[in-house]
Amino acid sequence: FNRRHNMKKKELKVQAEIYSRVAGYFRPVNQWNRGKQEEFSQRLEYSIDTVINELNYSYDEYKRAV
C-alpha cells in the first residue's frame, strides 16, 4: 500500500489581472464599468492564419462561380 496514491494534488490558484487597450492606453478590465466588462467577455479572438485561410477559400469559391 502506497500513501502517495491516496494523496490529492494540491492546486494553487492565483487571480490574474487582465489588461486591455482602451483609447490608446492599457487599463485593468476589473476597473471598467459592468457594461464594458460584459462587452469584453463577449469579444471573439481570431487567429490571423484562420482568417487568411477562410478568405482564400472564399476567393477560390468566388473564382469558380464566375
Side-chain angles (χ1 to χ4, degrees), residues 19-29 32 36 40 43:
Y19 283 75
S20 185
R21 194 169 80 87
V22 178
Y25 61 94
F26 290 93
R27 268 190 74 193
V29 173
W32 295 359
K36 286 293 180 191
F40 181 78
R43 290 182 187 176

Side-chain angles (χ1 to χ4, degrees), residues 3 5-6 9-10 13 16 18-19 22-23 25-26 29-30 34 36 38 41 44 48-49 51-52 58 61-63 66:
R3 287 185 184 188
H5 292 296
N6 290 336
K9 272 191 173 179
K10 291 184 180 180
K13 294 182 181 182
I18 300 169
Y19 283 75
V22 178
Y25 61 94
F26 290 93
V29 173
N30 66 357
R34 277 191 230 153
K36 286 293 180 191
E38 179 63 25
S41 72
L44 301 175
I48 296 298
D49 294 334
V51 172
I52 290 172
S58 298
E61 289 295 310
Y62 170 76
K63 285 192 305 189
V66 173

Side-chain angles (χ1 to χ4, degrees), residues 7 12 14 22 38 44 52 55 59:
M7 296 175 68
L12 176 63
V14 179
V22 178
E38 179 63 25
L44 301 175
I52 290 172
L55 288 175
Y59 181 66

